[in-house]
Amino acid sequence: KTLLANANPPFLFEHLPLNLNDNIWNDIRNEYKLSLPQLSVLKNARCPPSQQVKEPTNTLNAITWNVAAINNNPFEYWITHDDAGYNKLMEDVSEFINNPGNKDIPIHEVFTDVMFNELCEDMTNAGWDGIDEVRSRWSGEYKNRKIITEFIKDGLIGKKRLASMPDRYTNTINLADGSTAMRPTVINCYEGDLSSTDKWWRVWREFMFQREVTVKGKAGNPETKFVRNMLTKIKQSKYPAISAEEEAISIPLQAMACAVFDVILVHMMNTLAPTSWQALKTDLCEKLNHKKHDRTLEILETTYGGVDVQFLQEVAGAFLDTVKARKIEQDFDIWAPADLDRDRDQNSLILTKKNLFKNVVEVTTEVASVGQSKGDLFVITADHTDGTQYLLASFHGDTNGLLTIPVLTAVHDYAKAAHPTRKFVFGMDANTYEKPDNGKVLDVTSFAKFYLIKD
């Protein structure tokens, strides 16, 4: 409003049209160089949903958004910050990773044999199988690797998900009472003292092997479990880089890789900024993470509050509890998979405008499975009040995007066979890449060529 009022000549807010489809909105955006979110906020301010001029029938306004609920890492992005200490730390971390030099020490110098033996003791007491095999791999394959060039930057470890999978389940655990439990690590908002490796190791072991947490189960009922029991096997069928032998011992192997990953980060931060990094992290968490759910809901309620359908991906199970008594629950019907996964917190949801759809039915299980994880795909049928029948789908692709085309094909084939007269609308995070990388990832051009030939 201020921008318009201060223009030369000024443009009065009251002169903006109440019709969202008026061409003047495009003129305003171009003239005053507004971003799409800015334009959306302006439209909603001028045209509250209750006053908007409705579009012709047989049209649907929709958005799709991967809200990345599981990402609680305050250092995930290098943000614009006026703190010189933060900027220096990020520059130093970048240099440490890109040019480690003599800082690229063997793993056993930061995660010692004594620590590894204590880890094996914890894993044995937990009743896990495969400890001897992990001991063998530690001695022959891992302990002498360099911490940066041969572990942190080893792409194969990433493809096997040895460190990222346990992080997904234990980084930030949403508890039944609405609070969170966080693994002692650099990459979340853990508030304990990590100023030394010894301090980190003591609390890490306690959290991973002795800590019990009460979370909401599949049916929404409280379930108490040890954090260690939240780790699951990494299946070769989904992650081909992992061998059959590694799959068999993947739970203790993940625990070892997670410990090594965490200790390397603690070592790096305490080497680069021993007296300041934890305070910087606390500040970032307060600004970026602690109010993430509220801020996400605020955006959905305001910026995108006027749309008919919201396709969401990577939604935490706690989202269904957070929305209660919020404006979004008053404006939208919130549809979630019957097999909502409250452990992985990577669920796909669909939100439909109140009183705009009826006869909503989940049909996800009727679509052929092609290897996607629980909660990744969500499909419903819904009948619009204008008489149009829809098939709506929301999907979160795997990291490399390799499941995107198979899943889209499966849903498309289902739509053609079971619901040929319904309009098919699919909101997704396709996880496409700029370049194909020899078939290791789905490139955006190949994806576009694929879906353009679908009718």
Side-chain angles (χ1 to χ4, degrees), residues 83-347:
D83 188 307
Y86 168 81
N87 292 315
K88 184 178 188 308
L89 173 61
M90 297 304 284
E91 289 169 358
D92 289 346
V93 168
S94 180
E95 182 66 17
F96 195 107
I97 298 295
N98 291 325
N99 302 292
N102 59 11
K103 297 184 180 69
D104 201 12
I105 57 179
I107 287 175
H108 68 81
E109 291 190 20
V110 293
F111 192 71
T112 65
D113 284 325
V114 171
M115 296 165 71
F116 176 75
N117 287 331
E118 290 173 339
L119 175 63
C120 288
E121 180 182 343
D122 290 335
M123 295 191 295
T124 299
N125 291 338
W128 291 356
D129 297 324
I131 310 304
D132 289 341
E133 290 88 339
V134 172
R135 283 185 181 277
S136 177
R137 288 178 181 270
W138 165 255
S139 299
E141 186 177 346
Y142 286 99
K143 65 177 289 184
N144 293 313
R145 289 188 181 208
K146 300 297 180 64
I147 60 173
I148 302 299
T149 55
E150 296 175 348
F151 189 88
I152 292 294
K153 297 174 75 172
D154 184 346
L156 189 58
I157 290 176
K159 290 176 181 177
K160 293 178 179 181
R161 301 294 189 270
L162 293 178
S164 62
M165 190 66 75
D167 177 68
R168 174 184 296 176
Y169 285 103
T170 66
N171 182 290
T172 303
I173 303 170
N174 292 306
L175 303 181
D177 63 3
S179 62
T180 57
M182 300 184 188
R183 189 178 81 249
T185 183
V186 171
I187 57 170
N188 62 18
C189 293
Y190 175 77
E191 296 178 346
D193 183 6
L194 302 180
S195 60
S196 72
T197 298
D198 287 342
K199 290 179 178 178
W200 163 80
W201 181 230
R202 183 170 60 253
V203 293
W204 193 95
R205 289 181 67 194
E206 188 278 329
F207 178 84
M208 290 295 290
F209 291 95
Q210 304 302 323
R211 180 77 176 269
E212 286 187 299
V213 292
T214 300
V215 299
K216 287 194 174 180
K218 181 178 178 180
N221 299 319
E223 295 180 358
T224 300
K225 62 179 75 175
F226 284 102
V227 170
R228 64 177 184 256
N229 292 335
M230 299 184 75
L231 302 186
T232 61
K233 282 192 174 183
I234 301 174
K235 296 187 178 298
Q236 188 185 44
S237 58
K238 184 169 184 180
Y239 301 102
I242 197 165
S243 68
E245 293 76 17
E246 288 171 320
E247 177 183 332
I249 59 169
S250 57
I251 290 181
L253 201 57
Q254 287 177 74
M256 181 201 72
C258 185
V260 171
F261 176 79
D262 283 343
V263 76
I264 291 173
L265 296 187
V266 170
H267 164 76
M268 177 177 68
M269 300 302 267
N270 285 323
T271 297
L272 298 177
T275 62
S276 62
W277 77 267
Q278 292 189 93
L280 284 170
K281 175 181 154 181
T282 299
D283 180 62
L284 290 172
C285 285
E286 183 62 33
K287 293 175 179 177
L288 299 177
N289 299 85
H290 287 160
K291 297 180 180 179
K292 181 175 180 177
H293 288 304
D294 288 337
R295 180 61 179 141
T296 299
L297 286 171
E298 181 185 343
I299 293 170
L300 292 173
E301 291 168 341
T302 56
T303 305
Y304 301 118
V307 303
D308 301 325
V309 181
Q310 297 181 353
F311 298 95
L312 306 181
Q313 300 87 36
E314 288 201 27
V315 181
F319 179 90
L320 299 179
D321 305 314
T322 307
V323 298
K324 292 178 179 177
R326 289 285 304 235
K327 184 177 184 297
I328 195 167
E329 192 179 46
Q330 301 168 17
D331 294 341
F332 287 87
D333 291 316
I334 300 169
W335 307 100
D339 64 345
L340 186 82
D341 192 331
R342 290 180 176 270
D343 290 332
R344 288 176 68 242
D345 276 343
Q346 290 183 293
N347 300 285

